[in-house]
């Protein structure tokens, strides 16, 4: 599971507010368009309502986008199809227009949310790379104390894996109960690979990320994720390993 990236505030109040707005905006818009029904073509009405659905989808909140799509269809029927001000459609073309409005709105919603997810992935990937480059730069310059570099890498690993905590331990991984994250991003537990995408990181034991200097394991990062289930992608897991490798040069 990955965290969504949103340009909206993280406060809990905004999602209900956006969803209420997604329901009310088509209602208000259709009521306004009703006053100009003789001057505005049905195709224009549909485009205006689709624009509202796109605005709801732009928040990255799927329920808001879906609510806007169905609200647009309902109020288009009520205000802008004959007989007016009734949830009845008498004309076959109006039925087709209403159905197309809902279908197009749903399609636009999925396309907008797909683009939103892609943007989020790119933002996260950029953040991971910045973290790796920052750690590598600190190691190469040699002006940053080793403990500070280790602490920074530990925080980055925690963030990338969406875990609770991460700390560096010197020496080889001595506890066979630890799940071990290898260089390919595969998690090995009791000698078998774990399907992290399906069951997430273990919540009942530590995850160790070995730090190797050549063939020798000089230490490992001990990761805990016990407060909630996390499902880091393989890309995230490989970035965590890459970050851990920066400590080997200290």
């Amino acid at each position: 599971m990955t965290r969504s990236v949103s340009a909206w505030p993280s406060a809990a109040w905004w999602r209900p507010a956006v969803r209420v707005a997604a329901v009310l905006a088509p209602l208000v818009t259709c009521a306004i368009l009703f006053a100009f029904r003789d001057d505005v073509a049905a195709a224009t009405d549909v485009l205006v309502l689709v624009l509202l659905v796109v605005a709801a989808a732009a928040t990255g909140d799927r329920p808001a986008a879906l609510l806007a799509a169905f609200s647009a269809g309902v109020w288009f029927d009520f205000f802008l199809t004959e007989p007016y001000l009734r949830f009845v459609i008498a004309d076959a073309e109006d039925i087709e227009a209403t159905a197309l409005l809902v279908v197009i709105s749903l399609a636009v919603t999925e396309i907008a949310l797909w683009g939103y997810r892609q943007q989020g992935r790119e933002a996260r990937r950029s953040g991971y790379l910045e973290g790796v480059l920052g750690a590598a730069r600190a190691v190469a310059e040699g002006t940053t104390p080793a403990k500070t570099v280790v602490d920074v890498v530990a925080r980055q690993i925690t963030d990338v894996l969406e875990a609770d905590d991460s700390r560096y331990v010197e020496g080889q991984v001595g506890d066979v109960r630890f799940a071990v994250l290898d260089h390919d991003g595969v998690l090995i537990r009791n000698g078998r690979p774990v399907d992290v995408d399906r069951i997430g990181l273990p919540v009942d034991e530590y995850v160790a990320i070995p730090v190797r200097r050549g063939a020798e394991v000089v230490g490992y990062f001990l990761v805990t994720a016990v407060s909630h289930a996390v499902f880091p992608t393989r890309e995230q897991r490989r970035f965590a390993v890459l970050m851990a490798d920066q400590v080997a040069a200290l």
Side-chain angles (χ1 to χ4, degrees), residues 5-230:
V5 177
S6 174
W8 291 82
S10 58
W13 62 265
W14 81 264
R15 287 188 184 275
V18 166
R19 292 171 188 177
V20 170
V23 174
L24 295 180
L27 167 60
V28 174
T29 301
C30 287
I32 295 172
L33 291 173
F34 174 73
F36 302 94
R37 62 188 181 280
D38 294 330
D39 302 317
V40 180
T44 302
D45 296 336
V46 169
L47 288 175
V48 171
L49 292 172
V50 168
L51 182 62
L52 294 178
V53 176
V54 172
T59 66
D61 186 54
R62 182 185 295 274
L66 295 177
L67 287 170
F70 285 107
S71 179
V74 167
W75 297 118
F76 179 81
D77 169 20
F78 185 78
F79 284 105
L80 302 175
T81 65
E82 296 181 353
Y84 298 118
L85 305 181
R86 292 175 60 189
F87 291 111
V88 177
I89 304 177
D91 189 273
E93 291 186 359
D94 287 339
I95 294 175
E96 182 179 346
T98 304
L100 283 174
L101 169 61
V102 174
V103 170
I104 291 172
S105 296
L106 292 175
V108 166
T109 293
E110 292 305 315
I111 292 172
L113 291 175
W114 176 84
Y116 211 86
R117 290 192 296 270
Q118 292 298 112
Q119 182 185 24
R121 291 192 186 99
E122 289 302 318
R124 286 192 295 273
R125 184 177 294 111
S126 176
Y128 301 157
L129 287 174
E130 285 297 323
V132 173
L133 292 174
R137 184 165 52 249
V139 171
E141 291 174 352
T143 57
T144 305
K147 184 180 184 306
T148 300
V149 175
V150 170
D151 290 343
V152 169
V153 170
R155 285 197 299 272
Q156 291 171 340
I157 289 174
T158 301
D159 291 341
V160 168
L161 296 180
E162 302 173 22
D164 296 326
D165 186 43
S166 175
R167 60 186 175 88
Y168 182 68
V169 180
E170 293 185 353
Q172 298 199 10
V173 182
D175 196 324
V176 296
R177 295 173 298 176
F178 295 166
V180 178
L181 193 61
D182 69 16
H183 270 71
D184 292 325
V186 177
L187 187 66
I188 305 299
R189 185 182 190 186
N190 296 325
R192 297 181 179 180
V194 176
D195 188 354
V196 177
D197 294 330
R198 184 175 62 86
I199 65 175
L201 293 181
V203 296
D204 56 348
E205 64 183 28
Y206 292 104
V207 172
I209 306 178
V211 175
R212 291 181 173 85
R213 186 178 296 136
E216 180 187 4
V217 175
V218 296
Y220 57 94
F221 283 91
L222 205 55
V223 181
T224 57
V226 297
S227 65
H228 61 287
V230 291

